[in-house]
Amino acid sequence: MIFRQLFDSVSSTYSYLLASRRGGEALIIDPVLDKVDRYIQLLNELDLRLVKAVDTHLHADHITGLGALRDRTQCITVMGEQSKADVVSMRLADGEKLQIEGVNLDVIYTPGHTDDSYSFVMSDRVFTGDTLLIRGTGRTDFQNGDARAQYESIFNRLLRLPDSTLVFPAHDYKGDTVSTIGEEKAFNPRLQVTSVAEYAELMNNLHLPDPKMMDVAVPANMHVGFSQEQIALKGWALTPSEAMMLIGRPDVAFVDLREQGERAREGEIPGSLHTPYPELGENVSCGGILHELGATKQIIFYCAFGERSAMAVQAAHDLGIASALHIQGGIAAWKMAKGPLFTR
Ligand code: FE
């Protein structure tokens, strides 16, 4: 197991790099834009392939590294389904799994600090974002924060994890790096309350100044989407209605790049093949199944929001699959256009 806790001293942010082995897939939680060069260097040094970059919530105190990491590594950008970021390529909901090769995180919706805050549990540890900090909790006075929701998230979700669970937060301003659930129950001053009302009273009277970066970071972090316009200008995009006309044609192959969980939740375009995006590299390379398929059929990639498929179209064209197209806006746009969906 590879586990690295990385620190941005400007915003006191912790970012976490996870992978099951050298040479394998990696994921990063809460990357900071200014540190992207450092992450790329470390990924190279450890011979890791970044597959997912995840934000626990929309940050107000630093600019996320999600967009830059996607542009440099073609990784999947991930946030919770409530996120107001313009487009992220994959959205998670409570109870789902966040997975890469050899790493499995349970996804818990923990609103309160913001209404899009998530925590991720991995066997002996939990990544709590700004929901639960070491001897503190994330403020609840902006970005649809809600002290009562945070109380529920902390007391009814996080504190029910085993006492020995390691707590890795998104920030620490005092130099602490890790705690445990048991330790926070006993010593976190914000948790020594007897009711939700008492907690709300405490949180609503903190009178904190706005974060220094807030006016810059929030708008910047809302716009991390991949520009699908560039792909459309190259003539490689179909609208959902154009793609619907091609269903059932023997010379056309619809290729779903999403994960199994997304397919089960949203449904599939009838008759489509499934090759998950992280395996795209080998599939479109010479000798890969999509390379073979692209020689005789028109490939139409699709995913959840059109981001993974836009990157896939670019990769396919780069490798000589000249007919590859994608559905702009993905299944989200497909549903709006009332495209047919099949659920197993
Ligand atoms: Fe935050």
Side-chain angles (χ1 to χ4, degrees):
M1 181 71 206
I2 294 170
F3 171 78
R4 296 298 166 91
Q5 183 175 32
L6 301 150
F7 187 57
D8 171 51
S9 56
V10 177
S11 59
S12 298
T13 301
Y14 286 126
S15 309
Y16 300 93
L17 180 70
L18 309 175
S20 63
R21 62 179 178 94
R22 280 182 89 95
E25 295 183 355
L27 90 80
I28 191 163
I29 298 175
D30 288 330
V32 175
L33 178 63
D34 289 343
K35 295 288 171 188
V36 163
D37 284 342
R38 171 65 189 135
Y39 308 145
I40 301 273
Q41 181 191 13
L42 185 59
L43 288 162
N44 289 335
E45 287 165 353
L46 300 178
D47 189 23
L48 296 173
R49 186 162 67 91
L50 188 67
V51 168
K52 288 180 182 166
V54 187
D55 267 349
T56 50
H57 62 288
L58 193 95
H59 297 286
D61 59 349
H62 67 269
I63 299 179
T64 175
L66 252 58
L69 284 168
R70 183 232 16 250
D71 291 343
R72 292 180 60 176
T73 69
Q74 283 71 54
C75 69
I76 301 172
T77 49
V78 185
M79 288 187 79
E81 60 180 351
Q82 294 82 358
S83 169
K84 290 176 192 69
D86 56 350
V87 179
V88 287
S89 46
M90 183 174 178
R91 287 171 183 261
L92 295 168
D94 185 63
E96 295 187 340
K97 300 270 186 199
L98 168 60
Q99 295 174 309
I100 58 165
E101 172 204 7
V103 177
N104 252 307
L105 305 180
D106 291 320
V107 175
I108 320 180
Y109 180 43
T110 49
H113 170 59
T114 63
D115 60 357
D116 66 349
S117 290
Y118 277 77
S119 299
F120 304 106
V121 180
M122 185 179 79
S123 53
D124 66 340
R125 61 197 64 196
V126 58
F127 302 97
T128 53
D130 289 356
T131 301
L132 177 60
L133 304 174
I134 299 172
R135 309 299 191 264
T137 57
R139 60 192 298 175
T140 54
D141 55 341
F142 58 70
Q143 285 189 288
N144 297 320
D146 179 338
R148 289 172 177 268
Q150 190 175 53
Y151 178 92
E152 297 299 326
S153 295
I154 294 173
F155 282 84
N156 293 330
R157 304 298 300 270
L158 297 176
L159 296 189
R160 293 195 176 175
L161 294 167
D163 279 354
S164 59
T165 309
L166 299 168
V167 173
F168 287 101
H171 295 286
D172 192 87
Y173 306 95
K174 311 172 299 298
D176 290 316
T177 53
V178 62
S179 179
T180 66
I181 289 291
E183 218 179 290
E184 291 311 309
K185 269 184 197 164
F187 305 116
N188 189 322
R190 297 246 176 106
L191 305 187
Q192 311 310 312
V193 292
T194 51
S195 68
V196 60
E198 194 184 332
Y199 185 74
E201 174 74 15
L202 173 70
M203 293 305 288
N204 294 337
N205 288 291
L206 294 175
H207 305 299
L208 299 167
D210 283 350
K212 283 182 285 233
M213 284 282 284
M214 184 165 160
D215 294 339
V216 178
V218 170
N221 290 340
M222 302 269 265
H223 297 289
V224 293
F226 181 79
S227 174
Q228 295 179 38
E229 291 308 313
Q230 294 302 317
I231 297 294
L233 286 172
K234 292 176 180 173
W236 299 341
L238 293 173
T239 64
S241 332
E242 287 166 343
M244 272 177 233
M245 311 286 286
L246 302 174
I247 289 180
R249 287 243 314 241
D251 55 340
V252 170
F254 283 82
V255 175
D256 188 353
L257 297 168
R258 295 171 303 160
E259 295 184 2
Q260 205 56 55
E262 300 175 276
R263 284 156 57 81
R265 187 180 63 211
E266 307 289 343
E268 307 158 29
I269 294 177
S272 48
L273 305 172
H274 179 218
T275 62
Y277 178 79
E279 290 154 34
L280 181 77
E282 47 191 280
N283 288 334
V284 290
S285 298
C286 215
I289 49 166
L290 293 179
H291 203 91
E292 303 286 306
L293 191 72
T296 53
K297 292 189 190 227
Q298 169 131 56
I299 290 179
I300 301 175
F301 288 113
Y302 71 95
C303 60
F305 304 100
E307 295 224 340
R308 278 168 277 182
S309 58
M311 293 192 284
V313 158
Q314 182 68 59
H317 281 263
D318 289 347
L319 289 162
I321 309 174
S323 66
L325 300 174
H326 88 122
I327 301 178
Q328 187 150 352
I331 284 293
W334 181 266
K335 277 186 154 175
M336 299 250 286
K338 308 246 182 308
L341 286 167
F342 158 79
T343 321
R344 280 171 204 281

PDB file of all heavy atoms in Angstrom, residues 57-61 113-114 130 142-143 171, ligand 1:
ATOM      1  N   HIS A  57     -15.045  18.392  -1.171  1.00  0.00           N
ATOM      2  CA  HIS A  57     -16.093  19.415  -1.300  1.00  0.00           C
ATOM      3  C   HIS A  57     -15.539  20.570  -2.107  1.00  0.00           C
ATOM      4  O   HIS A  57     -14.349  20.573  -2.432  1.00  0.00           O
ATOM      5  CB  HIS A  57     -16.549  19.889   0.088  1.00  0.00           C
ATOM      6  CG  HIS A  57     -15.470  20.543   0.897  1.00  0.00           C
ATOM      7  ND1 HIS A  57     -14.413  19.837   1.460  1.00  0.00           N
ATOM      8  CD2 HIS A  57     -15.242  21.840   1.229  1.00  0.00           C
ATOM      9  CE1 HIS A  57     -13.613  20.669   2.103  1.00  0.00           C
ATOM     10  NE2 HIS A  57     -14.088  21.901   1.975  1.00  0.00           N
ATOM     11  N   LEU A  58     -16.387  21.534  -2.438  1.00  0.00           N
ATOM     12  CA  LEU A  58     -15.926  22.722  -3.157  1.00  0.00           C
ATOM     13  C   LEU A  58     -15.183  23.611  -2.159  1.00  0.00           C
ATOM     14  O   LEU A  58     -15.779  24.135  -1.223  1.00  0.00           O
ATOM     15  CB  LEU A  58     -17.112  23.472  -3.765  1.00  0.00           C
ATOM     16  CG  LEU A  58     -16.702  24.520  -4.785  1.00  0.00           C
ATOM     17  CD1 LEU A  58     -16.767  23.929  -6.194  1.00  0.00           C
ATOM     18  CD2 LEU A  58     -17.571  25.749  -4.715  1.00  0.00           C
ATOM     19  N   HIS A  59     -13.885  23.768  -2.380  1.00  0.00           N
ATOM     20  CA  HIS A  59     -13.045  24.474  -1.410  1.00  0.00           C
ATOM     21  C   HIS A  59     -13.150  25.988  -1.556  1.00  0.00           C
ATOM     22  O   HIS A  59     -13.251  26.507  -2.665  1.00  0.00           O
ATOM     23  CB  HIS A  59     -11.581  24.058  -1.585  1.00  0.00           C
ATOM     24  CG  HIS A  59     -11.341  22.609  -1.308  1.00  0.00           C
ATOM     25  ND1 HIS A  59     -11.337  22.091  -0.032  1.00  0.00           N
ATOM     26  CD2 HIS A  59     -11.127  21.567  -2.139  1.00  0.00           C
ATOM     27  CE1 HIS A  59     -11.105  20.782  -0.098  1.00  0.00           C
ATOM     28  NE2 HIS A  59     -10.984  20.440  -1.359  1.00  0.00           N
ATOM     29  N   ALA A  60     -13.061  26.696  -0.434  1.00  0.00           N
ATOM     30  CA  ALA A  60     -13.124  28.161  -0.435  1.00  0.00           C
ATOM     31  C   ALA A  60     -11.765  28.781  -0.141  1.00  0.00           C
ATOM     32  O   ALA A  60     -11.617  29.991  -0.221  1.00  0.00           O
ATOM     33  CB  ALA A  60     -14.139  28.637   0.591  1.00  0.00           C
ATOM     34  N   ASP A  61     -10.787  27.959   0.212  1.00  0.00           N
ATOM     35  CA  ASP A  61      -9.524  28.522   0.694  1.00  0.00           C
ATOM     36  C   ASP A  61      -8.328  28.215  -0.198  1.00  0.00           C
ATOM     37  O   ASP A  61      -7.218  28.640   0.086  1.00  0.00           O
ATOM     38  CB  ASP A  61      -9.256  28.020   2.112  1.00  0.00           C
ATOM     39  CG  ASP A  61      -9.189  26.511   2.159  1.00  0.00           C
ATOM     40  OD1 ASP A  61      -9.557  25.859   1.158  1.00  0.00           O
ATOM     41  OD2 ASP A  61      -8.768  25.970   3.189  1.00  0.00           O
ATOM     42  N   HIS A 113     -20.367  21.365   6.674  1.00  0.00           N
ATOM     43  CA  HIS A 113     -19.376  22.393   6.336  1.00  0.00           C
ATOM     44  C   HIS A 113     -19.814  23.063   5.021  1.00  0.00           C
ATOM     45  O   HIS A 113     -19.834  24.287   4.897  1.00  0.00           O
ATOM     46  CB  HIS A 113     -18.006  21.744   6.210  1.00  0.00           C
ATOM     47  CG  HIS A 113     -16.954  22.640   5.631  1.00  0.00           C
ATOM     48  ND1 HIS A 113     -16.605  23.836   6.201  1.00  0.00           N
ATOM     49  CD2 HIS A 113     -16.183  22.509   4.509  1.00  0.00           C
ATOM     50  CE1 HIS A 113     -15.663  24.412   5.456  1.00  0.00           C
ATOM     51  NE2 HIS A 113     -15.393  23.634   4.425  1.00  0.00           N
ATOM     52  N   THR A 114     -20.155  22.244   4.031  1.00  0.00           N
ATOM     53  CA  THR A 114     -20.836  22.687   2.817  1.00  0.00           C
ATOM     54  C   THR A 114     -21.928  21.659   2.547  1.00  0.00           C
ATOM     55  O   THR A 114     -21.959  20.607   3.187  1.00  0.00           O
ATOM     56  CB  THR A 114     -19.878  22.706   1.600  1.00  0.00           C
ATOM     57  OG1 THR A 114     -19.451  21.350   1.362  1.00  0.00           O
ATOM     58  CG2 THR A 114     -18.659  23.585   1.844  1.00  0.00           C
ATOM     59  N   ASP A 130     -13.384  18.654   5.417  1.00  0.00           N
ATOM     60  CA  ASP A 130     -13.481  19.683   6.456  1.00  0.00           C
ATOM     61  C   ASP A 130     -14.645  19.396   7.400  1.00  0.00           C
ATOM     62  O   ASP A 130     -15.073  20.278   8.143  1.00  0.00           O
ATOM     63  CB  ASP A 130     -13.678  21.073   5.830  1.00  0.00           C
ATOM     64  CG  ASP A 130     -12.420  21.566   5.135  1.00  0.00           C
ATOM     65  OD1 ASP A 130     -11.393  20.872   5.203  1.00  0.00           O
ATOM     66  OD2 ASP A 130     -12.485  22.638   4.535  1.00  0.00           O
ATOM     67  N   PHE A 142     -20.860  29.459   5.630  1.00  0.00           N
ATOM     68  CA  PHE A 142     -21.038  29.885   4.228  1.00  0.00           C
ATOM     69  C   PHE A 142     -21.143  28.653   3.346  1.00  0.00           C
ATOM     70  O   PHE A 142     -21.098  27.531   3.832  1.00  0.00           O
ATOM     71  CB  PHE A 142     -19.924  30.840   3.778  1.00  0.00           C
ATOM     72  CG  PHE A 142     -18.525  30.290   3.894  1.00  0.00           C
ATOM     73  CD1 PHE A 142     -18.077  29.278   3.057  1.00  0.00           C
ATOM     74  CD2 PHE A 142     -17.652  30.803   4.846  1.00  0.00           C
ATOM     75  CE1 PHE A 142     -16.800  28.789   3.168  1.00  0.00           C
ATOM     76  CE2 PHE A 142     -16.361  30.305   4.952  1.00  0.00           C
ATOM     77  CZ  PHE A 142     -15.939  29.292   4.116  1.00  0.00           C
ATOM     78  N   GLN A 143     -21.322  28.877   2.030  1.00  0.00           N
ATOM     79  CA  GLN A 143     -21.442  27.772   1.067  1.00  0.00           C
ATOM     80  C   GLN A 143     -22.521  26.766   1.486  1.00  0.00           C
ATOM     81  O   GLN A 143     -22.290  25.557   1.482  1.00  0.00           O
ATOM     82  CB  GLN A 143     -20.114  27.043   0.909  1.00  0.00           C
ATOM     83  CG  GLN A 143     -19.083  27.798   0.086  1.00  0.00           C
ATOM     84  CD  GLN A 143     -17.892  26.920  -0.203  1.00  0.00           C
ATOM     85  OE1 GLN A 143     -17.098  26.640   0.697  1.00  0.00           O
ATOM     86  NE2 GLN A 143     -17.767  26.465  -1.428  1.00  0.00           N
ATOM     87  N   HIS A 171      -7.448  19.679   6.399  1.00  0.00           N
ATOM     88  CA  HIS A 171      -6.631  20.795   6.873  1.00  0.00           C
ATOM     89  C   HIS A 171      -6.156  20.541   8.292  1.00  0.00           C
ATOM     90  O   HIS A 171      -6.826  19.851   9.058  1.00  0.00           O
ATOM     91  CB  HIS A 171      -7.452  22.100   6.956  1.00  0.00           C
ATOM     92  CG  HIS A 171      -7.936  22.597   5.655  1.00  0.00           C
ATOM     93  ND1 HIS A 171      -7.134  23.184   4.728  1.00  0.00           N
ATOM     94  CD2 HIS A 171      -9.184  22.607   5.139  1.00  0.00           C
ATOM     95  CE1 HIS A 171      -7.846  23.530   3.672  1.00  0.00           C
ATOM     96  NE2 HIS A 171      -9.100  23.189   3.887  1.00  0.00           N
TER      97      HIS A 171
HETATM   98 FE    FE B   1     -13.478  23.632   3.138  1.00  0.00          FE
END
